[in-house]
Amino acid sequence: HALSDRSQALLQGLRELLRDDDAEAGDLLETLTAQLVAEGDPLAAELAAVARAIDRIDFEGALAALDRVHAA
């Protein structure tokens, strides 16, 4: 489905942080999730697996989970 420009930009930023193993990914994921909730986008609920992987500092797993719920 189509994301808003802001959500798409946040999603791209999240992918880049995860690829760089950057801990800021957790903060950006929170911002992205809040944006998606505000837009009523069901993708927000699907990002829980990404959040769990980030919490485990498993950035590769988080990126894989993100790819499963939203292909690049």
Side-chain angles (χ1 to χ4, degrees):
H1 69 281
L3 295 174
S4 71
D5 289 344
R6 173 146 171 76
S7 291
Q8 189 65 43
L10 289 168
L11 188 63
Q12 182 59 37
L14 178 60
R15 284 184 192 285
E16 291 171 10
L17 290 174
L18 291 172
R19 283 188 197 110
D20 292 342
D21 296 331
D22 190 323
E24 292 296 317
D27 292 337
L28 186 56
L29 178 61
E30 288 180 19
T31 302
L32 172 60
T33 301
Q35 178 72 27
L36 292 169
V37 167
E39 295 171 1
D41 193 309
L43 180 60
E46 297 176 34
L47 294 176
V50 178
R52 285 192 301 274
I54 290 173
D55 287 345
R56 291 190 312 266
I57 312 179
D58 177 10
F59 299 112
E60 187 175 316
L63 189 56
L66 183 58
D67 287 342
R68 282 193 297 277
V69 298
H70 189 271

